[in-house]
Amino acid sequence: MTLRRTSRHPPPRTCPVLPAIFLLILSVQLVRAASEYDPYKVLGVSRSASQAEIKRAYKNLAKEWHPDKNKDPKAEDMFIKVSKSYEILSNEERRSNFDNYGQMDENQPFGQSQHHGFRGFRNSFYFDESFFHFPRSRDFADSKYLLHHAQFNSDVLPDSHKRPYLIKVTSEWCFACIHIEPVWKETVQELEPLGVGIGIVDLGYERRLANQLGAHRAPSIIGLVNGRVTFFHQAVVREHLRQFIEDLLPQKLVEKITDNNYLPFLDSWHVENKPSVLLFDQVPIVPLLFKLTAFAFKDYVRFGYVDQGDTHNTRLLRQFNINTYAPTMLLFKEDTEKPVDIIQARGMKRQIMDEFVSNNKFLQVPRLVNQQLFDELCPVKQFHRRRKYCVLLITGEDQAFLPGSKAFLDFASVNRKDVLRFAYVYQRQQQPLCQALLHNQAALAPQVVILERRSHGGKVMYRSVSGGWNGSEEDKYRLHEQLELLQKDPTYLSSDATLPELNNEMAPIFIVQWMNAAYDYILQIYDDLLYSNWREMMPILSLIFSALFILFGTVIIQAFSEPGESKPRKPKPKEQQQTEEDASSRASTSSRPPKKDFVEVTELTDITYISNLVKLRPGHINVVLVLTNTSKNALLRKFAKEVFSFSGTQTLHFSFLNADKHRHWMPSLLHSTSDSMRSEGHSDVDEESPDYAGHVLALNGHKKYFCLFRPVFTGDDPNDSSSETSFSSDSRRKSRSRSRSSSSSHSRSRSHSREDGVGPRRGSSRATSIEVHHKLDRLGLWMERLMEGTLPRLQVPAWPSLGETTNSSTET
């Protein structure tokens, strides 16, 4: 037996050098990535650079790398790096943390700067959630700021007239939004307690709202003031956002007050009809908190600011004994020497300022200048215990009325109660209101009226104080006595009236409104052109080029047109007569009334008769006017004016029937209903009367009944012999018709013979223009009775057709 020796190869050993080399390379890469991002190198400044140098370098780089101005693909990333670097170095605490520990976030614990290095390593290889499109989880604190389209239009847009809004447009897939998130949170924490509204719009979920705002990319920051949208185009830094909000506010919200102008400022309550607030503080610039408070109450109170450090305010500080160690607010009303309320605090909060101003936003005796002030000062009674009586002085603007107004102010100051509101009104400025309370009588002397509002529609209960008002002690005693009786017995107000809406005396004139709108529009165009927002500029540019094209096209056409074309050619008498005949023939065949009446009237013909009457939808009524060729134009104009107020009803249709074309239709209709008319007492209807011009019928095709309107001649002049006038006019018309051509005279004679065959025995005076115009004077009252359903209804067994009436007339 042979033994065979086999040799096994041992398993290969792993060299321990390779993992060590890999870990060494990885650590070196981490350290290099950690030291890659250096804000000093990004801004190009030294570590000992001052804040002025850092700010100067940042501004130059921000202008160079702004994505709206630099089309380089790397511009956006470079702009973010520049903004982040300035954010770190502009804050001394962050700058110190970076210099000592290498950390770039002040909320990060010390010793964790390696995490930033690993993040930089991942960023260098593009390992980020945006690379894999992983949606980042939204911060729970941001959910309360999310805006929706309906909420924005119902709540935020109206509220922007009282406080500014700062809105951020973001998206789930926005990497740049992550970079501005720390600055955004700091800005929200600073501005929200001051009264600035905060909003967040998700570009992916609220595309409709984003389009309304004009935001088409994320991130975008928008300011909203007075309903006007403004985009933020600077670097996302807290100081820039704060200045952005301050620049959006109106310029003349707060007036700078010194020793030279404080008296005119306080005395302006006569004209402005508002109390005045003075804020005393040590800083030379008006604080943003005070500007925001002034913006919220700009419709009620005037605001002024006094710099305590200014040497021109020593007399003002000494007069009101102002403490220079804390901000102080004084509120003045009619008395300019003594404030009605004072507040002083080192840490002035927005809630304290709002409560201070809202409790004193009306004068002691304000003047009613618009409906909004009247609604707030004298609200409508809701409960018995919440009655508000308004004591109103109706006076004039002349100097002679000032003593009475001063006495009324003194009376109101002494008799201040929660249920009483004192006000005055100028009779010349509010004439409709004064006429309703004084029964259309002009008040020669001032009058006092006590009223209580009962409904929002203007209904009030009131009582006038007898004897007028001249400010005497007797007048004060009489008014006090009636107010005491009113509080004991609310039924003391015995008269009622409906007050009209007050005139807005403070509304700017049209030219001022137009100039303000034009100024805002020009600013918007300038802003869009400056930042190349071409998507929003396309409609405006299209409108401008269209207007220019039309303008230049008109000029070119006029320049190349012949001179003789623009001169009107004077028609000859014969041509003018022919033109008038053509116009009258076109008017006779047209089925549309004049444009100024805005009523569509169709003609009943063989084509439209079935659809407009026989097969009319249930519940619909066709109001038909019967006319002739001679009376067509006058009757149609009058008919359109009378039924214009009823043309908005969907179930009413308006038509006309030419009795000259279908002269036997009316007799056939009335003959079919003669038995029912006699049974209902309408025996006076002359069914054989040949003159039906001016009759109006309301036809219900489905139920086969109609209501009849007969002309009422209310426009005849009893002193005028209309028959003679009509006779002479007829003879003149006949004499003119004889002098025309043979064809024309033949048609005229045929028309006259037809009218003579069916004309009334009373003469042709019914054809005059005055009587034809007045035939439909009572049609409006008849239409009202038709809408009420109180007119008698005449039943018909079947509607006579237009073809049958034509045939019958031919056979006859």
Side-chain angles (χ1 to χ4, degrees):
M1 184 176 180
T2 307
L3 296 177
R4 183 175 298 177
R5 191 175 180 180
T6 61
S7 62
R8 288 187 176 181
H9 297 282
R13 295 181 180 179
T14 305
C15 182
V17 179
L18 294 178
I21 294 175
F22 178 76
L23 292 176
L24 180 61
I25 295 174
L26 181 61
S27 60
V28 170
Q29 180 66 28
L30 291 177
V31 174
R32 184 182 302 173
S35 59
E36 244 181 35
Y37 182 77
D38 189 353
Y40 293 101
K41 292 182 180 179
V42 173
L43 295 181
V45 295
S46 62
R47 289 185 173 268
S48 60
S50 62
Q51 288 293 333
E53 295 175 349
I54 294 174
K55 188 174 183 179
R56 190 183 309 111
Y58 161 72
K59 284 186 175 181
N60 296 333
L61 291 174
K63 291 179 181 179
E64 178 183 356
W65 295 103
H66 198 285
D68 291 338
K69 298 181 179 180
N70 194 331
K71 302 305 179 182
D72 193 337
K74 300 179 181 180
E76 185 174 356
D77 295 336
M78 189 62 188
F79 183 75
I80 293 174
K81 288 183 179 180
V82 170
S83 302
K84 185 67 176 178
S85 302
Y86 179 72
E87 181 185 339
I88 295 172
L89 299 183
S90 61
N91 191 303
E92 293 295 339
E93 184 178 357
R94 291 184 178 182
R95 183 179 181 181
S96 177
N97 291 337
F98 179 80
D99 293 340
N100 298 329
Y101 307 102
Q103 65 179 89
M104 293 173 281
D105 191 355
E106 62 181 2
N107 297 323
Q108 174 191 355
F110 295 132
Q112 294 187 7
S113 59
Q114 291 81 2
H115 175 73
H116 289 279
F118 184 71
R119 181 176 175 84
F121 171 75
R122 292 190 297 122
N123 288 341
S124 63
F125 286 94
Y126 304 101
F127 288 135
D128 199 87
E129 61 266 20
S130 62
F131 178 81
F132 293 102
H133 294 284
F134 292 143
R136 58 186 179 90
S137 60
R138 187 179 302 281
D139 192 355
F140 178 76
D142 292 345
S143 60
K144 66 178 182 179
Y145 302 122
L146 287 176
L147 297 179
H148 306 283
H149 184 265
Q151 173 197 2
F152 175 81
N153 290 282
S154 61
D155 300 335
V156 176
L157 204 58
D159 194 42
S160 66
H161 294 270
K162 297 181 180 179
R163 62 170 177 166
Y165 273 82
L166 190 65
I167 301 174
K168 180 183 69 171
V169 180
T170 184
S171 176
E172 293 287 352
W173 313 100
C174 175
F175 175 68
C177 300
I178 304 175
H179 289 270
I180 69 171
E181 194 69 23
V183 183
W184 173 260
K185 290 183 177 180
E186 293 178 3
T187 307
V188 170
Q189 292 175 2
E190 178 185 2
L191 296 181
E192 190 177 18
L194 301 181
V196 178
I198 305 297
I200 296 178
V201 177
D202 195 311
L203 196 60
Y205 295 97
E206 288 293 335
R207 177 68 63 178
R208 184 180 177 186
L209 177 55
N211 292 334
Q212 179 180 349
L213 295 173
H216 305 289
R217 64 180 181 180
S220 297
I221 296 180
I222 299 173
L224 181 67
V225 173
N226 289 329
R228 183 173 178 267
V229 175
T230 306
F231 280 83
F232 177 77
H233 296 289
Q234 299 180 1
V236 184
V237 183
R238 183 173 57 182
E239 290 76 11
H240 291 177
L241 291 173
R242 179 188 177 96
Q243 189 63 38
F244 173 66
I245 289 294
E246 194 167 354
D247 293 339
L248 290 179
L249 298 175
Q251 298 296 325
K252 298 182 179 180
L253 276 176
V254 182
E255 185 176 349
K256 278 292 190 71
I257 303 300
T258 61
D259 291 341
N260 300 326
N261 64 348
Y262 82 95
L263 285 177
F265 175 79
L266 297 179
D267 285 333
S268 63
W269 67 269
H270 294 281
V271 179
E272 298 292 338
N273 197 38
K274 298 176 183 178
S276 302
V277 172
L278 288 180
L279 174 65
F280 296 81
D281 204 351
Q282 291 283 354
V283 293
I285 303 176
V286 182
L288 179 60
L289 175 61
F290 193 60
K291 287 185 178 181
L292 294 173
T293 306
F295 181 72
F297 295 95
K298 63 181 182 300
D299 296 332
Y300 301 97
V301 183
R302 300 184 69 229
F303 291 84
Y305 180 75
V306 181
D307 180 13
Q308 298 180 4
D310 192 351
T311 57
H312 298 87
N313 299 325
T314 55
R315 186 178 65 180
L316 190 59
L317 299 175
R318 186 170 57 253
Q319 178 177 351
F320 297 109
N321 194 17
I322 301 300
N323 184 2
T324 58
Y325 296 100
T328 306
M329 290 181 66
L330 305 181
L331 192 141
F332 297 85
K333 293 188 177 181
E334 287 87 351
D335 189 0
T336 59
E337 297 181 357
K338 182 180 179 181
V340 295
D341 204 352
I342 301 175
I343 183 175
Q344 188 176 38
R346 286 186 178 276
M348 197 76 74
K349 302 295 184 181
R350 177 62 189 272
Q351 183 179 0
I352 299 175
M353 298 177 68
D354 288 349
E355 184 178 357
F356 173 76
V357 178
S358 60
N359 291 337
N360 300 279
K361 64 180 183 179
F362 297 118
L363 296 171
Q364 292 184 0
V365 184
R367 177 163 58 96
L368 298 183
V369 294
N370 51 42
Q371 187 65 32
Q372 179 183 357
L373 180 60
F374 187 36
D375 294 338
E376 295 188 28
L377 197 65
C378 303
V380 178
K381 185 192 76 170
Q382 298 179 352
F383 303 100
H384 178 72
R385 295 183 178 181
R386 294 185 180 180
R387 292 180 180 270
K388 298 291 183 182
Y389 299 107
C390 190
V391 184
L392 184 63
L393 172 65
I394 301 176
T395 182
E397 306 176 46
D398 299 337
Q399 295 292 331
F401 297 99
L402 288 180
S405 302
K406 181 64 170 59
F408 189 75
L409 174 60
D410 296 338
F411 180 85
S413 303
V414 176
N415 296 273
R416 295 179 59 184
K417 294 182 180 179
D418 188 44
V419 296
L420 296 179
R421 300 292 176 87
F422 293 87
Y424 72 99
V425 63
Y426 288 147
Q427 184 176 1
R428 188 176 62 86
Q429 298 290 345
Q430 303 292 342
Q431 290 185 2
L433 173 70
C434 299
Q435 290 175 0
L437 295 176
L438 300 178
H439 304 286
N440 297 326
Q441 297 178 1
L444 300 178
Q447 300 287 333
V448 176
V449 179
I450 307 173
L451 59 89
E452 179 187 13
R453 301 184 65 189
R454 293 297 180 88
S455 68
H456 292 280
K459 184 179 180 180
V460 297
M461 300 298 296
Y462 72 97
R463 187 184 186 95
S464 299
V465 179
S466 59
W469 178 269
N470 55 16
S472 62
E473 295 297 328
E474 182 181 357
D475 293 341
K476 294 181 181 179
Y477 176 77
R478 190 186 307 112
L479 178 57
H480 184 271
E481 183 180 8
Q482 294 197 15
L483 291 177
E484 292 292 335
L485 291 175
L486 177 62
Q487 295 184 20
K488 295 178 182 178
D489 184 13
T491 60
Y492 183 71
L493 302 179
S494 56
S495 303
D496 63 334
T498 302
L499 302 182
E501 186 173 354
L502 271 68
N503 300 327
N504 189 1
E505 301 177 20
M506 297 298 180
I509 59 178
F510 174 76
I511 187 65
V512 176
Q513 295 180 352
W514 184 85
M515 291 178 63
N516 292 335
Y519 176 73
D520 294 339
Y521 197 65
I522 293 174
L523 283 182
Q524 181 181 359
I525 295 177
Y526 173 76
D527 186 69
D528 293 338
L529 288 174
L530 182 62
Y531 295 100
S532 303
N533 198 353
W534 296 108
R535 183 178 297 186
E536 298 178 8
M537 285 296 299
M538 284 304 297
I540 301 175
L541 294 176
S542 176
L543 179 63
I544 294 175
F545 282 113
S546 300
L548 292 176
F549 178 77
I550 295 173
L551 179 62
F552 284 105
T554 306
V555 172
I556 292 173
I557 291 174
Q558 291 182 353
F560 286 94
S561 62
E562 297 182 2
E565 294 180 358
S566 58
K567 296 181 180 179
R569 185 173 60 89
K570 186 176 181 180
K572 298 180 180 179
K574 186 177 294 185
E575 294 178 355
Q576 184 176 2
Q577 183 178 359
Q578 185 67 25
T579 305
E580 293 177 355
E581 292 179 359
D582 295 342
S584 62
S585 64
R586 286 195 301 268
S588 63
T589 57
S590 175
S591 62
R592 186 178 297 274
K595 293 183 179 180
K596 64 180 181 180
D597 296 323
F598 301 100
V599 179
E600 183 178 359
V601 185
T602 58
E603 183 179 3
L604 285 182
T605 61
D606 296 334
I607 300 175
T608 62
Y609 182 77
I610 300 298
S611 59
N612 288 357
L613 178 59
V614 179
K615 294 184 178 181
L616 197 63
R617 286 180 292 178
H620 288 241
I621 294 177
N622 195 349
V623 182
V624 181
L625 168 67
V626 182
L627 47 78
T628 59
N629 289 332
T630 57
S631 62
K632 181 175 181 178
N633 293 334
L635 287 179
L636 274 180
R637 293 191 187 96
K638 184 66 175 179
F639 180 73
K641 292 179 181 178
E642 293 293 332
V643 303
F644 176 75
S645 59
F646 305 92
S647 59
T649 307
Q650 299 295 330
T651 57
L652 287 183
H653 308 273
F654 302 98
S655 305
F656 71 90
L657 178 71
N658 195 329
D660 291 340
K661 296 180 182 179
H662 313 283
R663 61 191 182 94
H664 285 281
W665 187 85
M666 278 292 292
S668 301
L669 178 66
L670 296 180
H671 180 73
S672 63
T673 59
S674 59
D675 296 337
S676 59
M677 290 172 66
R678 293 191 185 94
S679 62
E680 295 181 9
H682 296 279
S683 59
D684 57 338
V685 178
D686 186 9
E687 65 185 42
E688 299 299 331
S689 175
D691 185 16
Y692 295 106
H695 284 62
V696 179
L697 300 94
L699 307 176
N700 191 321
H702 180 70
K703 293 187 176 181
K704 295 182 181 180
Y705 72 84
F706 68 93
C707 302
L708 179 63
F709 169 82
R710 290 171 294 173
V712 179
F713 300 96
T714 60
D716 293 347
D717 189 355
N719 300 327
D720 187 14
S721 58
S722 61
S723 59
E724 296 177 3
T725 307
S726 304
F727 179 79
S728 62
S729 63
D730 285 345
S731 23
R732 285 196 301 268
R733 187 166 58 251
K734 289 181 180 179
S735 64
R736 285 196 303 267
S737 64
R738 293 194 191 96
S739 64
R740 296 187 179 174
S741 62
S742 60
S743 61
S744 176
S745 62
H746 176 67
S747 62
R748 295 281 184 177
S749 62
R750 184 174 54 187
S751 174
H752 280 291
S753 65
R754 185 170 33 198
E755 288 179 5
D756 294 336
V758 298
R761 302 290 182 185
R762 290 167 288 187
S764 61
S765 62
R766 300 289 187 187
T768 61
S769 61
I770 297 178
E771 293 178 351
V772 168
H773 178 74
H774 287 285
K775 278 188 174 185
L776 302 179
D777 282 348
R778 300 291 180 86
L779 182 60
L781 301 176
W782 184 81
M783 288 293 298
E784 292 180 1
R785 294 185 60 192
L786 174 65
M787 300 302 296
E788 296 172 357
T790 58
L791 292 175
R793 300 179 179 180
L794 305 178
Q795 299 290 336
V796 293
W799 297 110
S801 63
L802 294 180
E804 293 176 358
T805 59
T806 306
N807 296 335
S808 62
S809 64
T810 305
E811 293 173 1
T812 304

